[in-house]
Each structure stands twice: as C-alpha cells, then as structure tokens.
Amino acid sequence: MTSVRRAAALLVASLLVLSAAAEARAAGYRYWSFWDRSGDRWTYATQGPASERPDDGSVRGFRFAVSADSSDANRPRGAADFGSICAKTPARAGTKRVALVLDFGTRADAPSGESPPDTRTVCARVSPDASTAEALAETAKPLRYDSNALLCAIAGYPARGCGEQVAADEKPSHQAAPEDHGPSVGLPLGIGVVAVLGGAAFWQARRRRDA
C-alpha cells in the first residue's frame, strides 16, 4: 500500500470514528428553525430570516425543538393560512403584510424549568423591503440573539440557552409524521465536506504521481 493510500485509509477510518463518537455523544441541538410556506406545505428555509425579504402575502414559520439537523426538524404546527392570519390587518399602501406562525414547541423540547407558550400566529405590517427578521421584531418582542447573530429566543422564549447540544439520552421522542421533517442538511454535511476534501486530496496526489 502506497503512502497516499495509507493516508486515505487513515482519513476514512478517522471519519468513521468521529462520526460514531458524535452520534453517541449528542442527539441534536435545541434551537429555533425557520420555515417558508409554499402553497400548503412548509419547506426548510434556505436563507436566514435576516436576509430573506418575503413578498406581501407570504407566510413564514418558526419552530422551537430539539433536532439533529433539518431532516430531523419538526415543522410549525397550527393554521398557516394568510387570509385567516391577516384577516384583521387590512392592506395599506406603501406596506406589505407577512403572516407568521410561531410554534414554541413541546414541553419535552423545553429547557429545564421552562414551559413553552402556546403556538400563536401574528400578522406583521412592515415596509416593502423589510426582512422576515424585521417582521418578527415588529410582532414578537423581545427577541434574543447571540454574538453570531443566531436567533435564540422569540417573545422571550426560551429565557436562556442558544442552540445548545443535547445528549442522546435527553432528546425527546417525537411521534411525528414523516411530512413533519425537512430536507437533510446540517451536521452530517460537515462530515461529508471533510470526506470530499479528503477524496480530492487523494486524487490530486495520484495525478501528480502518475504524471
């Protein structure tokens, strides 16, 4: 076995060990996930609420829960119809309306000593160029962010913590239907990126050797 192949084998073995260790140590993270409403379905947002600028008539959702990544994330629950949520907020020239579904999760997802508020819906009337984060700030204060601009709390919930890791034996067991989950991204992606980089290094070394 050449030195390049030995290095590649060592990299793969290391990744397998790291993956197994990470899975054993933690089942996920406790955080607010952000969702877009398209038709009658929720989809995991591809932009953060601070950068996304929804159109008038849009519906956006936030869900607090423990999940390993977006494939394990639960969608917001409750009604998500713009007409119903914004029925008492008439259109006004020079503004737009964004319907928000705020799902504070279950008691099992809550940090120790805290109880989640009931799911609520709000209609934000904001400027035409406002972001989802600005719409949220208009209707669900106080918000709390960490030093990396990660959304930690909506309407003051939770009172503490921000995206903390949750051990496997602490993860709540959700009896959720398959459609309650989003597309698979997140922590496994980091492992995949390392594997791709390792593979690229291997083939680059091989090309240099064969040249």
Side-chain angles (χ1 to χ4, degrees):
M1 180 180 289
T2 67
S3 59
V4 173
R5 289 181 178 177
R6 283 197 297 271
L10 180 60
L11 173 63
V12 171
S14 298
L15 288 171
L16 291 173
V17 170
L18 288 172
S19 178
E23 185 175 354
R25 284 197 305 270
Y29 299 84
R30 181 179 284 115
Y31 68 100
W32 280 101
S33 58
F34 174 43
W35 300 81
D36 294 337
R37 186 77 174 181
S38 178
D40 61 351
R41 292 185 60 82
W42 288 112
T43 57
Y44 204 91
T46 57
Q47 299 183 61
S51 58
E52 188 194 54
R53 301 185 184 280
D55 295 329
D56 179 68
S58 297
V59 180
R60 298 294 181 261
F62 293 85
R63 171 71 187 266
F64 187 78
V66 174
S67 58
D69 53 47
S70 65
S71 68
D72 188 44
N74 293 94
R75 287 179 167 87
R77 300 167 296 173
D81 177 68
F82 175 82
S84 299
I85 296 173
C86 289
K88 297 182 179 180
T89 306
R92 181 182 298 171
T95 67
K96 68 180 177 184
R97 295 172 297 163
V98 179
L100 301 175
V101 178
L102 311 178
D103 187 340
F104 296 85
T106 67
R107 187 176 295 274
D109 290 310
S112 178
E114 297 198 52
S115 297
D118 293 335
T119 298
R120 69 178 72 165
T121 60
V122 292
C123 185
R125 192 205 313 270
V126 290
S127 64
D129 63 345
S131 66
T132 303
E134 290 171 315
L136 187 65
E138 284 290 322
T139 53
K141 295 178 180 179
L143 305 179
R144 178 165 57 86
Y145 292 88
D146 71 359
S147 59
N148 296 313
L150 175 67
L151 179 62
C152 303
I154 295 176
Y157 182 82
R160 61 189 182 281
C162 192
E164 65 270 21
Q165 197 173 66
V166 176
D169 58 0
E170 297 178 296
K171 184 182 178 183
S173 177
H174 295 296
Q175 300 299 320
E179 63 270 19
D180 284 343
H181 302 295
S184 178
V185 296
L187 185 60
L189 179 62
I191 297 173
V193 168
V194 175
V196 168
L197 291 175
F202 173 81
W203 288 112
Q204 185 177 19
R206 183 172 180 175
R207 284 197 299 272
R208 285 199 300 267
R209 182 194 64 190
D210 295 340

